[in-house]
Amino acid sequence: MQNPIEIRQFRGTGILAILCFSLVSSDVLSQSDGTDIGAALIDYAAIQNSIDNLTVALEKTRADINRARFEPAALVDSLDFDAEAVIGFVRDSIVYQPYTGALRGVDGTLRAGAGNSLDQAILLANLLKTAGLDARIARGTLTDADALRLLRGTRQAEPGNSLDYLQKTLAANFGEQAGQAPQAVAWSNTRLAADAGKLVDALTTSLQNAGVDMAASDVQDKWLPAAKQYFWVQYRDGPAQGWQNAHPAYASSPPPESATAEEFFQDSVPEAYQHLLTISAWVGQWLAGKVVSHQVMTPWTRPVANLDTQTIRYRNSPSGLNRDNAGDLSAVIAGTQILVPMFNDATAPGAMAFDLKGRVVDPMALGSNAGIFQTMGDKMTAVTGGLMDREDGQPVMALDSMWLEFTFTAPGGAQTTHRRYLVAPRVDHNSKERELLWPLLTSHSYQVNAGGQPLDYLAERYLATAINDQAWLSA
């Protein structure tokens, strides 16, 4: 039942702005008589007025989004800061799913509408504290009988996936047609369903050919240890009051008889119970017929629960960029000798500069003259080239590849690593080096997804992006 952690990658973020531009300006820029638009006088004031009107409409629509479905503070407010109502919400609306450790955290568990006993306890403790109560998380070990009863309550989440309540808002802000409910689509009749079915069949065949057993199996033994490590919440009105127990993971079932607290967490969850994500950047250097890996960014580690839906950005800053050629990509590429890793819009931790031959150096050693690195490297290439001339015509030294590594560490230490290439391993190292610069200079955005997202949250994020893009349209 555990939702796998996903790495989603996005390139380019201007599409929404372009769509908005077409919405606000098509009536201004079109010519009824067919005259070429290049010869027409563009009414910038009218365009700006359209942008302003669109911004107001977007903001009004965003204001009507039900934020209680994805924002803990808004949820507590909607429940009137009532402790029993808060407990009842988590108990009845957040379903149990078995996995180990803290994976989704407060926001992710609320958005997914599901979590294991620890993530449910993290969410409930946070909500109770927001409501003004003392709360702490307790950990204990369940008997097999209590753990099996917990596992039997495993369900798929059913988060609010309808935006029907926004129909009146949409009609008022964008016209009656926008407020009309879309026609229902029969999934089984779509081309997407057919293509998905073919993909599933192909994957199933590949797995079977690889010797993977596709037969149904009893997952009880697999998830019983995870269920036995059990977490719940203890809360009270104040220091003079006694602690009360809340067991949201058991929903409407009786609480476990074997829940005896062995450990308490007041303000944070120990790292031993967390899923961690580590990101590092690498270049592969073709060196005399072999590929040597160089790390160009110190590993960066954070709890997955803190990163759910957060955007992670990586790019390489070119040495050829300056204030005089910022608008001339060709000049930037022509003048670039080295690149410096950038992570989340800042120099990457422990960044090592590299060039198109795969040579790596501490950028602090370059000073203000990046050409020193290139000159020294060219001299080294000239020397080594004479010593290691290759019969197949391949160069002695070249940049072979560049990638990011995403390593997930589960509680207990088990690790899974995913590699995402900016430059895939090259077959021909004699190809033009400058052609590698485009993917190296491109900004790459990634997003960690540890659970499902309600439509309300996705709509709010979409509207927020559209509103932010209005400044770009105005410019």
Side-chain angles (χ1 to χ4, degrees):
M1 295 300 299
Q2 179 178 1
N3 288 344
I5 303 171
E6 298 178 85
I7 299 277
R8 297 181 176 180
Q9 182 176 1
F10 307 92
R11 292 186 181 89
T13 57
I15 295 177
L16 182 59
I18 294 171
L19 291 175
C20 287
F21 184 80
S22 67
L23 284 173
V24 302
S25 62
S26 59
D27 58 329
V28 178
L29 301 181
S30 61
Q31 296 272 38
S32 59
D33 60 0
T35 304
D36 181 71
I37 191 62
L41 178 63
I42 298 177
D43 189 343
Y44 289 102
I47 296 176
Q48 183 62 58
N49 184 62
S50 296
I51 293 173
D52 293 340
N53 291 338
L54 176 60
T55 301
V56 171
L58 291 171
E59 289 175 340
K60 287 182 177 179
T61 304
R62 186 185 181 196
D64 281 353
I65 291 286
N66 182 7
R67 308 183 82 89
R69 293 191 181 181
F70 56 87
E71 286 187 357
L75 173 61
V76 174
D77 182 63
S78 72
L79 297 174
D80 296 325
F81 294 84
D82 181 77
E84 292 303 319
V86 167
I87 295 171
F89 172 86
V90 179
R91 179 191 63 222
D92 300 334
S93 302
I94 308 297
V95 304
Y96 174 78
Q97 293 180 347
Y99 52 86
T100 59
L103 178 67
R104 296 170 182 162
V106 176
D107 295 337
T109 304
L110 177 58
R111 287 193 295 260
N116 65 357
S117 62
L118 177 52
D119 272 331
Q120 288 196 23
I122 291 172
L123 172 61
L124 179 56
N126 175 274
L127 296 177
L128 289 173
K129 288 179 179 179
T130 302
L133 283 75
D134 288 339
R136 66 185 184 184
I137 298 172
R139 182 192 66 81
T141 304
L142 299 180
T143 61
D144 286 357
D146 279 337
L148 284 172
R149 193 157 55 85
L150 181 59
L151 283 176
R152 293 190 187 105
T154 300
R155 290 180 290 153
Q156 289 288 352
E158 297 181 2
N161 280 328
S162 173
L163 296 177
D164 291 346
Y165 67 90
L166 286 177
Q167 288 183 20
K168 291 183 179 180
T169 297
L170 292 171
N173 295 330
F174 297 99
E176 289 297 328
Q177 186 175 359
Q180 296 175 1
Q183 184 177 359
V185 177
W187 161 255
S188 59
N189 297 332
T190 63
R191 178 178 176 180
L192 182 60
D195 291 344
K198 293 178 182 178
L199 179 60
V200 170
D201 292 340
L203 290 174
T204 300
T205 300
S206 298
L207 290 171
Q208 290 174 338
N209 292 340
V212 177
D213 184 7
M214 300 298 292
S217 60
D218 188 354
V219 298
Q220 173 177 302
D221 292 339
K222 177 181 179 180
W223 292 115
L224 189 62
K228 290 183 68 173
Q229 188 177 74
Y230 177 68
F231 302 83
W232 71 98
V233 172
Q234 293 186 340
Y235 66 99
R236 62 186 182 183
D237 289 331
Q241 305 296 320
W243 292 101
Q244 301 182 64
N245 294 307
H247 297 273
Y250 275 85
S252 58
S253 300
E257 297 179 358
S258 56
T260 301
E262 303 169 13
E263 188 176 7
F264 296 102
F265 313 142
Q266 191 74 38
D267 299 315
S268 61
V269 176
E271 186 173 300
Y273 299 111
Q274 297 178 7
H275 290 260
L276 302 175
L277 169 62
T278 300
I279 303 175
S280 56
W282 299 76
V283 295
Q285 182 186 33
W286 171 266
L287 188 60
K290 297 181 179 180
V291 177
V292 180
S293 297
H294 302 292
Q295 193 172 68
V296 294
M297 167 183 161
T298 301
W300 178 89
T301 300
R302 296 292 187 276
V304 171
N306 294 351
L307 297 174
D308 189 44
T309 73
Q310 298 298 308
T311 300
I312 297 168
R313 293 173 295 277
Y314 181 90
R315 63 181 176 87
N316 295 296
S317 180
S319 63
L321 178 64
N322 56 60
R323 67 174 60 186
D324 296 326
N325 65 7
D328 187 347
L329 181 60
S330 297
V332 172
I333 291 178
T336 293
Q337 298 173 317
I338 64 170
L339 302 108
V340 177
M342 305 292 290
F343 186 74
N344 285 341
D345 302 322
T347 303
M352 298 293 287
F354 64 96
D355 70 357
L356 296 181
K357 296 187 183 299
R359 296 169 297 201
V360 175
V361 68
D362 186 340
M364 298 300 294
L366 298 176
S368 60
N369 188 359
I372 295 176
F373 179 49
Q374 189 75 17
T375 301
M376 293 178 63
D378 287 340
K379 291 181 178 179
M380 183 174 66
T381 300
V383 174
T384 57
L387 296 175
M388 297 180 289
D389 191 20
R390 292 180 55 83
E391 296 180 358
D392 59 5
Q394 293 291 317
V396 174
M397 187 183 302
L399 180 68
D400 174 78
S401 53
M402 181 174 192
W403 67 91
L404 300 183
E405 283 190 356
F406 298 84
T407 300
F408 294 98
T409 304
Q415 291 188 334
T416 304
T417 297
H418 304 273
R419 183 176 289 190
R420 295 290 183 268
Y421 281 100
L422 280 68
V423 174
R426 301 163 65 195
V427 176
D428 182 9
H429 296 90
N430 266 325
S431 59
K432 296 180 180 179
E433 291 180 339
R434 294 284 157 180
E435 294 177 353
L436 303 177
L437 281 173
W438 178 249
L440 290 172
L441 299 183
T442 298
S443 179
H444 298 259
S445 296
Y446 304 85
Q447 194 174 83
V448 180
N449 180 22
Q453 312 298 336
L455 283 180
D456 310 77
Y457 173 76
L458 298 176
E460 196 279 336
R461 290 290 81 206
Y462 181 90
L463 291 170
T465 301
I467 292 168
N468 290 336
D469 277 351
Q470 301 312 295
W472 179 87
L473 292 177
S474 295

